[in-house]
Amino acid sequence: MRPTATRTSAMRWGGGLLAVLLLAVLGGVKACGGSDVADLPHGERRPKPVSFSGKPLWDERKLGMSRVAGIELRGDVAVIAGDVGLGGARLAVVDVRTGSPRWVVDKGSVLRGGGGAVAHHGSGYRAEHLRGVTGKPAVYGAGDGDDWTVLVQYTEGDQGRETVLGVAALSGKDGSVRWKQPLIRPRGGDAGDDDREQRMRLLAGDPRIVLTSVESRQGIDPKTVALDPATGRRLWENADGWAYRLVGDVVLGETRGAEAPPTHTWGEGREDTDVFAVDARTGQKRWDLGGTAESSHLMAAANGTAVVKVTETPPGRTYSRDRTMLVDAATGRPTKESPKKEDDGTSLILYGCADDDGRSLIACSGPEGRLVTIRPGHHGKPVVTEKQPFGEDTMARVMTVWRDRVLLAGSGREGRPERYAVVDRAANRAGSPPPGEATAISDGAAAFRVARAGSTSSTPDGLVVHAVSVGATPSEPAGPGTPTLRPPRIDAAPLWTAGAGEAPVPPPAKDTGLESVISMDLVGDALVYTGRDREDDDLDRLVVADAETGKVRWSVREGASLGGGAKAGFVAVPRMVDAGGERLVLVRYEASGNAEGIAALSLKDGRTRWTKPVTGGNGFVTLEAADGATIAVEVTSYDGPKGGRDETVVLATGTRRELWRKRGVSPAGVGGGLVLAARYARGENGTREPRDLIAYGASDGGQRWRLGARYREPELLHDEGGKTIVIGTADGGAVLDRATGRELARTYAPLVQCSGDGDALIVCRAGSRSGSGSDPGGRAVTVQTGGGGATIRDLLETGPLTRYGAVGTWFTAIRPAADGRPERFLLLDAAGRQIADGLPGRPVDVDLGAGFAVLTPSQITHGIAGPGVPRFTVHRVQA
């Protein structure tokens, strides 16, 4: 229903705020007096001043973001939406003091407890789907994480053929799905025929109602969909446009107009739009301004009153003009506090209004650098300050309103730097904020948008967060601290260099004879390396060289005779064990009749110490894990009724006696008297999907513990036979006590790969489990164990780095070349603090006892056995 006033009557009796003579009160617009400290209107008390820390607590780089789309502060956490990498988006809930993540959702990541639903990237700018129309993430509720909720878009079904789009409500505590509601489904027939002409948008969230929209790709014919915030149940739909601002018992919105959708950008108006209101309970239209103005745009709202920008053409005029009006949100009529227009037709035009989240105060930029504030209700008249916060020639831009304080930015003549201030309603100074566009503030912190060097964006894309204190001085941030680790002293000049590639390597580098090097292991004074043989790229070669000189002690190529009719099989990933007082290299061998088994070669001279047959020709043997007590191999046979089966075979290393066999499981790790075995389901295109991880006694095969009932899709990612293991799951990962399977620590970061040469430090990569293409959400996650517990750190800031690894207690990574800067090889500690950045290469193995370090370049090559490198260097190293 539209208001009863016609366009003519609305123009005649109200709606516009009058032009203000700066030193007088005109037409009901009150000016605050005083040239020093101005009195606040209506006897209001001045708010206490606000202080900010001199140094930021953290910035967007701590979150691995290249651009921040929006931030919401909730008690001791911040909720931030932003872009990551190339084409990625991230929603991060982090500690407001440190920036350390509580939980994170990346574009395309599986939602925890969402039944396979994944976070959807939406369209347009990458992270805009993670925030509402107001520019902040859609968050509702109060208190700690148990009481508030974050909204995200999701997709569900075959990712190659989109099926369902919807909205999911995530717990503020851990990001798990409270509820999800599908909004767009395929239009029938095969999902592959669905061209997805529709899209959805998050509008706003409130403890009373959740507002979303369904619209075409071009934003035509938008439809608002209201959901129950507790269950996600559909409440109503409205086809008038985007309804997104809850004010009392109505929801205000805007029609499509010439541009779509509504925007939060400061001072930006929309053309040919109408402001309208619907009943919050039923979705029925209450009123609209389509009959009273050519165009209207919602600027701010508080306590039942809305500030609306109106465009109209006065009678007898050929051009349109803008004015600003106060509207009763319940009826759409101009409020009684709105003054009449003067005979000359002039009216006060306000810009860039903001409010304190609809509570009680609205602030706008007024004429000649002044501030205009409105407190709807008993004292609803607009107040134009006499004081000019930055002077007459500087416009006071309202950035945000917080508890009777207004954060302003002042932009004046060209060449002058921007100025910033916190003021009260009368423009008295109440604080000096740091530079930047204030976007969110709470009792403990404030966030400011800042421009980053080299950015081409028209709006600031960086973010800094400062500590805040009311009536006191906040403590300065302590900073990341100094790493306790010291870097190893690696000689810059190598002892020797080895190269690989399609052509022979010219001296002085030693030619490995390989196409690429796949693995490198320092074993005392020997270096064991493997790769694809250059002479026959279908075959692998294993080389044992002197670590100090590079002289080859012995080598074996796939297919070479091991004696007794045995031929070397797959040698690219050997296993080194100590048995019988000797260091052995275990590899797979093949014999006549398609028999296969395990061969032990002496590390010292390469001679075959023993062979152990495992299958007589009806299966393929893979050496998966071994230590000085136990060897675990997988036998894959193809003669079963279903076309194949997996079987674990366990041997005693010393006697080679077969201890036990189990069908349907694949060995994954050995150590501590246990054999870990995985159970898989057959996926599409022959892939194996993890379903369970089971611990068996190494001597008897008795089950000790299993994970399938506790975790979804558990997969062993790290096991060095020590006291702990790391697993990945469908929605994160965990560190477990190896002996009991007890969980020591858990992360909701999606772990996909881990490395480390022991339990002291494990470095994992988090990101997409699919492993296909680039992974914008990829970053490092470090694990430290000790004292019966574990510490997991999700280092979002490492996203721009590559080639994560762990050597001893050092975290290794590469900073790629960018902006004219060369690449850098880094050492960091478990907290991500830099220890060194000038290494001559990437350390892949360091043996301080023997005094050697193996380094590789940044380039990698891909082959059947995995990624390799074109060369490596061996250096002298000291602790």
Side-chain angles (χ1 to χ4, degrees), residues 795-858:
L795 303 179
L796 302 180
E797 66 269 33
T798 60
L801 306 180
T802 63
R803 306 285 301 281
Y804 315 124
V807 177
T809 56
W810 296 293
F811 166 20
T812 68
I814 298 174
R815 188 183 305 282
D819 301 325
R821 299 188 303 270
E823 68 179 0
R824 306 292 288 180
F825 296 91
L826 311 180
L827 280 183
L828 307 100
D829 66 6
R833 296 173 297 198
Q834 184 172 293
I835 301 171
D837 73 341
L839 301 181
R842 175 179 180 264
V844 295
D845 203 353
V846 176
D847 189 330
L848 295 177
F852 301 109
V854 181
L855 278 62
T856 65
S858 58

Side-chain angles (χ1 to χ4, degrees), residues 573-646:
V573 186
R575 308 290 174 178
M576 270 72 72
V577 300
D578 290 313
E582 184 180 17
R583 184 65 61 87
L584 300 177
V585 181
L586 304 184
V587 298
R588 179 172 67 88
Y589 79 83
E590 300 170 355
S592 60
N594 294 324
E596 295 188 7
I598 304 301
L601 312 181
S602 170
L603 178 67
K604 181 179 180 180
D605 54 22
R607 293 181 180 179
T608 303
R609 291 294 184 259
W610 51 258
T611 58
K612 170 64 178 179
V614 177
T615 179
N618 60 342
F620 179 82
V621 172
T622 305
L623 174 60
E624 292 290 354
D627 66 5
T630 309
I631 300 171
V633 301
E634 179 179 29
V635 176
T636 304
S637 60
Y638 299 97
D639 57 355
K642 295 184 178 180
R645 68 179 188 274
D646 299 323

